């Protein structure tokens, strides 16, 4: 068989990503890929297997190889573009299931079975920085050169034995920004009236910076009954009590102790965190970390991975395990109501063709600012994507 | 919580609708919203509940409130755009199910639970004139200022005890104009050959005006058997007979008595009516009133509400009740054949991208003229709709 | 009833088709309609019935009439555009199921039941040259004037009693060009590793011309077991053996006898043929003829009709019948893997928006040249199609 002259093995270069910020319509904000994102649960990728995921429509194969460990590469064979993830994990690489081309963990094509031994073609595929933590597989979908300098989202409670962790794994058919607004706006307890009863929310204030906003709330019940699940999640420690005297307050604050029951929600682009402290405690009773990433290119579907860390009761920690089913039932109920309403919001956006939301609540106005000023444009097609092969990108730029 | 300065409560103004007429392609005719349209059956909206309907893609919430009666408002919360119809009917208004904003029957936002008492924002939603009649809920989707002067479609037979009424409630996936053509062109009996046998249709003539056309037919059976259902619907009264002599004819006509069996079909934009008289009678044996309205923005789905009024036999009126199941069976059969063929017409239109129909029958040529000269353009999106909030419309006009 | 003046009966003229060749993207190649294509199996069209098929989105009614035999016409009534194929086959023609317009096998409208006898309108529909062979119905979808001069795809083995024939009838949701590449590239045995074991393919060379390419292969098994089905399909005749000596080789070749086991695959636009000879034989053990045609206008769905001719063993021909179920099982398995991977290729193309394939194998490079240089552009809509009525085409050209 005659061969073409094939060139040295070098990975596809990655052009700099579009500039951040100033997205005119929040629902057309593209999530900035230059962050660490959990794209799957560890248990989703068995040894010797691959799994297909997408980040904003970019197909990524997560591969767990005996020899090469866990790695992430573009999920397409450089030859005929079928997903590598349907191929065979073998000898530290992955073989395409169609003609058997093989790629290693750097995305280099290392073998074509029907070619004589020769230098292979430069058209390797992209590899993604990848690490495993908290039972999740984190990938850096953006510019790999930045991966080391971009902070990894640390979630200490998820590794703290005083907490029990529930990993959230949910898909909602809406733009990810709706999720940030949903959790941040605690006035939406009205949505959960059947599960939570009549809750009056009090907005206590907000703090903010370029890429973050943090909002404090307190609550009181006006009617209805607290569900068991909710009670277990935010149980008051035995000694919990509000600290009302000014001196005691100052002292408590100096020690980092909350002087009243308080909920703080923080969007720090692109992550979101909710913590709830009972009065008199230093560590939150509930510490929830969430990330919502776009699955599809149009960013109208998002996948949530979350770590819901619930503090075990001081001496009877096992009780949390006993009541865990109530926690699961309660959070599933809340989540399904949130999913329902957020998908209705997306449907309205789709019908209206642009963001008509009329927001009057300052906390949400800040969240919107954080999102629109830290995001990137949505890329209309794969064509302009950095994952396109060189000759395609060259054509697109010409 | 800090508030924006909020302005006086005034409803969204409604700009004049697009000019009527001269639609170049009948399948791209938008039904003129400046008429009274039945958008639901009365029984579809229970007390204390709301129901979502759409007119040409515009979402409308029909609300039945103990305190405020039946009302119709735009089916979106001015805040986050989710349908109000999934909210809670309460104290003469409807509360959004997400954050609890409340709107009254005029579309004004009257309460936001987490705002202090203050004048609310002008961004109220649209309210629609609405009335209930014949077991149907009629809405005026166009310019509310015209609602009082536009005639309501009176259908006396539906309230006449000599008639038994069947309410038609049907959805077909085709442009509403196909429905007018289908009923008007009685040559399509060929479609119903299995249910009706071989019917020869005779076109007797047409009369027409700017917004209407009326066509007369007679029929005779060339073969096959009349079904029981058909027989019951257009039973000949005992004394029915054709009046053939010129003098007797003139006298009968002067009294409004038909001199032969006759069917008259009238499209009077936007409604359609079919009446069948047996010879020698003054009142029709069958009096059918129909309205087809577009459900979706593209107007490729229509909903029919109809009132099929069948005269009870003179002395044995109860017999109509006895044979009613045969009527239902027969009309359902006819309707499912019409649905099937009209959806095939729509599919052909979709594939062809424009109206290729080659009409040679004068009655249908007139119907097409009535429709194209009385309709409005289809609005491509909600954006240009009068239901968009002011700031969106301002942007669209700029 | 008054009539329009109606003109003489003449069929819609057929403008010359777009020029062939030079398609820049193989997946946007339109199959040239100026060939004979099998569009259905004979048994699919019962006597007195019609069947709807499409060629690249053009609807065609195949009609089997007692009086007029088998014929093919455009599948739309010239009146209201509904498919004629849902009508009634009667007296050598087909009657539209809606208003009963009747068309003959030339596409002329010969009767409108509610018109007096008169010359009919010129708006006849297109008729297609049509013939039946090998249990398949062949249609010439292009310019009818060329039908006689374009060679019919002869497949002698399908009528040779020494062969048993399996008719393939398969639909795959991908562009037809993927099918040619799939069969031509025998290196894709890796895909069938579970069914065929480890096969090493040897590319022996290729021959080519303007509209064809022919490639030779040999194989040897590196591991795994040959399935029974495969064994039956390409059984070695008792006397089969490789001929290795130069003199014997020359003599064998002069007689048309193969000197070794060999597979030859030939794409001769638009058909494809695969033959397998065992050493020492003159006639192939397996002779497979395939045609893939686009079903939809976008040409992203293809239908395969194939004739898989398997030579019966010399004296125990009945054994092929005995083992036929194994052949069926094996070919179905192979086919479902091919379907799966080709649909993944189409999905990648759809996501990428253009052909990113990076082909290095000379045989496939040639197939791609044959396809792109012999195809026509895909017609974006019916509008520009020759099947549109005259007034529509006139408008499109203006």
């Amino acid at each position: 068989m005659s061969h073409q002259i094939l060139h040295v093995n070098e990975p596809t270069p990655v052009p700099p990503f579009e500039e951040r910020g100033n997205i005119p319509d929040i629902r057309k904000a593209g999530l900035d890929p230059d962050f660490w994102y959990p794209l799957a649960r560890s248990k989703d990728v068995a040894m010797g297997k691959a799994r297909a995921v997408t980040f904003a429509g970019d197909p990524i194969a997560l591969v767990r190889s005996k020899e090469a460990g866990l790695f992430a590469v573009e999920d397409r064979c450089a030859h005929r573009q079928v997903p590598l993830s349907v191929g065979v994990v073998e000898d530290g690489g992955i073989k395409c299931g169609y003609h058997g081309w093989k790629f290693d963990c750097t995305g280099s094509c290392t073998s074509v079975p029907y070619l004589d031994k020769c230098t292979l073609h430069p058209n390797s595929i992209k590899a993604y920085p990848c690490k495993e933590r908290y039972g999740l597989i984190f990938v850096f979908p953006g510019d790999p050169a930045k991966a080391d300098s971009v902070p990894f989202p640390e979630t200490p409670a998820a590794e703290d034995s005083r907490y029990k962790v529930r990993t959230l794994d949910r898909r909602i058919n809406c733009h990810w920004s709706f999720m940030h607004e949903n959790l941040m706006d605690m006035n939406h307890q009205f949505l959960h009236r059947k599960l939570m009863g009549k809750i009056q929310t009090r907005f206590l204030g907000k703090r903010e910076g370029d890429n973050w906003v943090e909002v404090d709330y307190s609550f009181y019940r006006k009617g209805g009954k607290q569900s068991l699940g909710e009670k277990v999640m935010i149980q008051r420690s035995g000694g919990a009590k509000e600290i009302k005297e000014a001196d005691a307050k100052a002292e408590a604050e100096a020690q980092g102790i909350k002087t009243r029951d308080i909920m703080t929600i923080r969007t720090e682009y692109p992550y979101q965190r909710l913590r709830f402290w009972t009065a008199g405690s230093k560590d939150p009773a509930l510490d929830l970390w969430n990330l919502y990433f776009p699955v599809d290119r149009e960013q109208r579907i998002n996948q949530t991975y979350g770590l819901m860390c619930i503090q075990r009761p001081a001496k009877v920690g096992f009780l949390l395990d006993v009541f865990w089913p109530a926690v699961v039932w309660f959070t599933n109920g809340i989540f399904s109501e949130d999913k329902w309403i957020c998908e209705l919001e997306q449907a309205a956006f789709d019908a209206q063709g642009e963001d008509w939301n009329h927001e009057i609540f300052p906390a949400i106005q800040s969240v919107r600012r954080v999102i629109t000023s830290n995001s990137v444009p949505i890329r209309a097609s794969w064509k302009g994507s950095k994952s396109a092969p060189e000759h395609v990108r060259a054509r697109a730029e010409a």
Side-chain angles (χ1 to χ4, degrees), chain A residues 47 49 51 64 83 106 127 164 171 177 194 197 213 222 232 255 263 278 283 293 312 315 341 343 354 371 379 390:
Chain A
M47 176 56 71
K49 299 289 179 190
R51 184 185 177 90
R64 198 184 293 279
T106 71
K164 184 170 171 76
R171 185 154 297 196
S177 62
K194 280 170 198 159
V213 55
K222 295 196 305 184
V232 172
Q255 295 174 38
M263 179 180 283
T278 52
D283 294 314
F293 72 89
R312 291 177 181 279
K315 280 159 199 166
I341 205 79
E343 292 183 348
E354 57 185 328
I371 288 174
R379 289 161 297 147
E390 205 174 345

Side-chain angles (χ1 to χ4, degrees), chain A residues 3 55-56 66 78 100 115 142 221 239 245 248 262 270 313 320 339 349 351 354 362 365 395:
Chain A
H3 295 136
F55 177 87
K66 218 169 173 176
L115 284 190
R221 182 171 308 277
E245 281 167 41
I262 195 166
L320 185 56
K339 174 178 161 70
F349 173 82
E354 57 185 328
Q365 288 166 344
R395 238 185 295 156

Side-chain angles (χ1 to χ4, degrees), chain A residues 39 50 73 80-81 92-93 124 157 176-177 189-190 192-193 195 213 241 243 267 278 288 329 336-337 344 362 396:
Chain A
L39 300 189
V73 290
R80 295 190 66 86
Q81 314 300 321
S124 298
W176 49 272
S177 62
Q189 304 295 0
F190 185 68
H192 303 305
R193 58 201 177 273
L195 285 162
V213 55
K241 62 170 184 204
I243 299 165
T267 285
T278 52
L288 168 64
W329 178 87
S336 81
E337 290 176 342
L344 286 175

Side-chain angles (χ1 to χ4, degrees), chain A residues 183-199:
Chain A
L183 190 64
M184 184 60 89
D185 191 344
M186 276 294 140
N187 298 305
H188 91 270
Q189 304 295 0
F190 185 68
L191 172 68
H192 303 305
R193 58 201 177 273
K194 280 170 198 159
L195 285 162
M196 301 183 70
K198 255 186 168 162
I199 299 284

